[in-house]
Each structure stands twice: as structure tokens, then as C-alpha cells.
Amino acid sequence: MRCRALFSVVLACLAGLASAATGWWRVHIHVPDQAALQRLLDSDVNVMPCTPGLGHVDAILGPGEEFKLALLGLDYHRLGPVPPPDAWKGRENVGLTSSDYRTAYFTADQILAFFEDYRSRFPALINRFAIGTSINGETIWGYRIRRPAANSGREKGFLMIGLTHSREWVSGSVVMHILAKTIEGLTTPQTRPFLNNQGMYIVPILNPDGYRFTWTNDRFWRKNRRNNGNGTFGVDLNRNYSVGWGGAGSSGNGSSQTYRGTAPFSEPETQAVRSFNMLMPGMVACVDWHSFGQLVLWPWSHITTPPPTAAELDRIGRLMVTGLAVRGQTYRQGPAWELNSFAAGSSKDYFYDANGNAPSCTLELRDTGAFGFALPENQISPTQDEAWEAVRVLLGQFPG
Ligand code: 0X9
Ligand code: ZN
């Protein structure tokens, strides 16, 4: 038995050597059951957790990394080459103007400048809050957009979170568009007043350290940048919330893409958005914007039991999917565990619970896998358009 194991390790290493010089690949891994999925999530393979339904998960493998899958005993095939993760380095468009957010990805500084530009032009409508500090010491900002007349603090709040996962760049483009369209709605005369006793709450970049890292070092970095102290870096912020923390679809290994951290809310980034949500009363809906997969994912992520308001979530989800079709794309909606996989400790379960069962979803934007995280810039504006339609549906569900 030991001999056979040794033999397969040798074979695996040979396979690794053989592919050592062959660059970066997107691969399609066959995952036969939950145990195999957990084995894969516990490893340091750079999986794309947005892709599973039991059956397969996609991953990005660097030179010489294919042996890891052989060691895990998992079959896979190559989908196609991907650019090396540092291929984006130095490609920042420094001359961008704020109108280019429809056609180009913005760096962290450009996204924050975009928000600040709006705040300086509409000071009566926009407030900014320092909601926390990232692990590397960067301020995490939260914005509130509402009519000054709504100062009673009793307006219904809509919480929008961008760039939890740093490689999901289009989520940053979408939260900029939500700001722009919200201000457009508030400043354009219309028969029925927009955002009446409703407030938009946006955290544009929940994971600033990770996001900066995707521009400078590794385009496919997902987690925050905590030094886990054992040679590994990063906690998956979307496994660090308290509801169901530690359960299926999360990992205790620091090298894993779905590492949950040492305790619920161990990370300053999740603490920041938790306190923003707590301090601003009356949240009626939450969308944590992610990519990719074209999915509206509702609670629960950690168990298969239907949540108390499952029928209402399904009704709203159907309306959102109709709105999301405005640029010709098909999105699907449903319980996260069923449509995607288990993801214990995710934001949607926490905010659903913390806000008294207010609708709370992970919204996986474009695409369905052709480009994945590296969505081409000509797809930014249609993605923003369809995302805004989903927001409009949510606003319509909770009139002021
Ligand atoms: O794994 C995640 O956190 C989300 N996918 S992503 O690729 N954007 O990272 C999905 C979370 C959705 N919830 C469940 N799958 N239960
Ligand atoms: Zn994500």
C-alpha cells in the first residue's frame, strides 16, 4: 500500500515537472462528492468557488502546479491558457476621467476618487464614514446617499458591498454605477420622487489590501492580506461572518482560498461592515456584489433548511432575474447551497439574520465562465446596466 502511494507521488511529481514550463492554465476539476470538494477547498489550489455545483470546480494553476491535483486524487482537464497573474502589473490607466468608469477598470485610488468627486459635488446628499481599518492599515469607507429631508434616520436602508473578493473587479465597477445612478435619480425631476425615505449605503472596497494586491502582484488574489503566521496569507472574508461559521464549504487551512480565519469576525474588514450595518438602522436589503456566474444567491449558505422567508426571497429573486435580463443575459436565482455550494460564514447569511430576515444575497455578476474574473472591459457597462436593474427591483420592494 505504502509502495503504491509512493509510486503515485512519484508519478504526480513527474507530471508536475512535465508541465513545469507550460505557463498558467484554467482547469476543470471533476469533483465527485462533498468530501472531494472539501479536500479541494482545504488545499492551496487556486479554486474558483463560484463555479461549483457538485460535479466540478474550476481553478487556475501555475507552472508545475498540476501535480497538486494528482496528489489530491482528482481528475481534471485543461480549459485553456490564462495570462500570468502579474500580466496586469503596470497597466493602470492613469489618465482616466470619472466618465470612463463604464469602459475601464479603476484602481483603488481611482474608485475612491470617483466617490469623493461625487461627494464634493453633492455634499447635501452624500455622507462618508470611516467604518474600519484593513489589516494593512487602510481606512475602509462607507457612503450614505439620501435626501437631506430624510434626516430622521428612519429611512429604509439598502446595503451594497463591493470588492469583498479582490479579483472580482467588475463588482467595483458596479458599485460606482450604483452611486452614479442613485445621484442621477435624486437630481433629476420626476413625477414620483426617487429614494423617498430610502437610503443607499455603499461600501465600495471592503477589501482594499487585497484589491491593491491584484493590481500590483497577483490578478487572481481573492482573500484579504492577513499574515496567518505560518507562511500563508489571507482570510476569505466571505467565510468569516458568524452565521454558520466553521461549517461546510469553508476551510481551517491558511493556504486555502476559503480559509475562514481563527474566529467569526476575526478580520477587521468584516468587523467594519458589521458595524456600518449596525450603526445605520433599518437595513431592509443587502447585496454583496461578486463575480462570476450570473447568479442571485439567497440564504442559506450553510444549511439546506429553507429560511423563514424563502417564498418572499424567491418572489423577489424572480423579479431581479427579469431586471438582470435587460442586456440580454440569463441570470439564475435560488438558495445558495443549492445553486452554488455550501459556503458557511458568508455575508448573505449574516446580514439576513442580523437584519431580521431582510433579503440578503450574494450577487454573482458576469460572466458564466468564458472570461471569469478577467471580464473584458467592453462588458463593464452592460454588466453595470443589468446590475442597476436588480437594484431598482429591490428599491421597488421597499418603498419609502
Ligand atoms: O465562494 C464565494 O464566496 C462566492 N463565490 S465567489 O466566486 N464570488 O467567491 C459564493 C458564495 C455564495 N454562497 C454559497 N455558495 N453558498
Ligand atoms: Zn466572490
Side-chain angles (χ1 to χ4, degrees), residues 25-288:
W25 292 88
R26 181 87 178 271
V27 297
H28 194 71
I29 306 166
H30 177 61
V31 183
D33 50 35
Q34 185 67 37
L37 178 60
Q38 194 62 47
R39 218 161 57 240
L40 180 62
L41 293 183
D42 280 336
S43 77
D44 67 351
V45 171
N46 193 352
V47 289
M48 303 176 173
C50 45
T51 55
L54 269 191
H56 77 270
V57 179
D58 293 353
I60 298 165
L61 294 181
E65 275 195 319
E66 289 178 58
F67 79 98
K68 289 180 182 173
L69 296 178
L71 285 177
L72 289 165
L74 295 172
D75 290 336
Y76 68 96
H77 63 265
R78 288 178 176 179
L79 290 173
V82 287
D86 63 356
W88 276 262
K89 213 169 175 162
R91 293 215 340 221
E92 300 93 330
N93 288 305
V94 283
L96 291 176
T97 67
S98 58
S99 60
D100 298 328
Y101 83 102
R102 303 272 284 160
T103 52
Y105 289 114
F106 276 22
T107 62
D109 288 339
Q110 286 165 332
I111 294 174
L112 296 174
F114 182 91
F115 273 76
E116 284 302 277
D117 173 49
Y118 268 89
R119 191 165 72 100
S120 68
R121 287 191 286 133
F122 303 99
L125 301 178
I126 305 179
N127 290 95
R128 182 177 78 157
F129 304 86
I131 63 171
T133 308
S134 72
I135 202 89
N136 284 347
E138 178 160 344
T139 301
I140 300 169
W141 300 104
Y143 284 82
R144 178 178 63 196
I145 306 119
R146 65 176 187 185
R147 287 178 189 282
N151 264 340
S152 64
R154 286 202 321 270
E155 82 277 6
K156 296 174 180 171
F158 297 80
L159 178 62
M160 305 283 142
I161 307 169
L163 289 166
T164 293
H165 288 144
S166 37
R167 61 193 179 186
E168 299 164 10
W169 283 10
V170 76
S171 75
S173 308
V174 158
V175 290
M176 285 190 278
H177 194 54
I178 294 171
L179 170 69
K181 294 301 284 183
T182 303
I183 292 297
E184 183 187 304
L186 284 172
T187 52
T188 311
Q190 38 192 244
T191 41
R192 207 158 45 89
F194 177 78
L195 231 59
N196 231 3
N197 285 312
Q198 295 174 317
M200 190 69 81
Y201 293 81
I202 306 179
V203 180
I205 312 178
L206 182 60
N207 178 9
D209 304 341
Y211 189 55
R212 288 183 189 279
F213 197 70
T214 61
W215 282 86
T216 55
N217 294 63
D218 179 353
R219 174 67 183 82
F220 298 115
W221 188 261
R222 161 183 172 91
K223 303 184 284 180
N224 76 353
R225 287 297 297 161
R226 176 180 286 280
N227 181 348
N228 296 322
N230 55 0
T232 71
F233 280 82
V235 170
D236 183 356
L237 299 178
N238 209 26
R239 299 294 182 278
N240 190 241
Y241 294 84
S242 54
V243 174
W245 184 86
S250 72
S251 172
N253 291 349
S255 58
S256 164
Q257 294 297 323
T258 53
Y259 176 48
R260 56 185 165 248
T262 52
F265 289 110
S266 58
E267 302 312 295
E269 294 86 358
T270 49
Q271 289 168 21
V273 64
R274 174 182 61 176
S275 52
F276 191 43
N277 179 69
M278 274 197 232
L279 287 171
M280 307 292 159
M283 292 296 181
V284 293
C286 170
V287 181
D288 192 1

Side-chain angles (χ1 to χ4, degrees), residues 373-395:
F373 304 120
L375 189 72
E377 289 180 320
N378 64 10
Q379 292 202 41
I380 293 175
S381 75
T383 306
Q384 291 167 326
D385 293 343
E386 62 209 26
W388 176 245
E389 291 307 310
V391 174
R392 277 183 359 115
V393 166
L394 276 177
L395 291 173

Side-chain angles (χ1 to χ4, degrees), residues 49-50 165 168 222 238-239 290-291 301 336 340-341 343 348 364:
C50 45
H165 288 144
E168 299 164 10
R222 161 183 172 91
N238 209 26
R239 299 294 182 278
H290 287 246
S291 76
S301 292
N340 191 251
S341 65
K348 77 182 87 49
E364 302 278 7

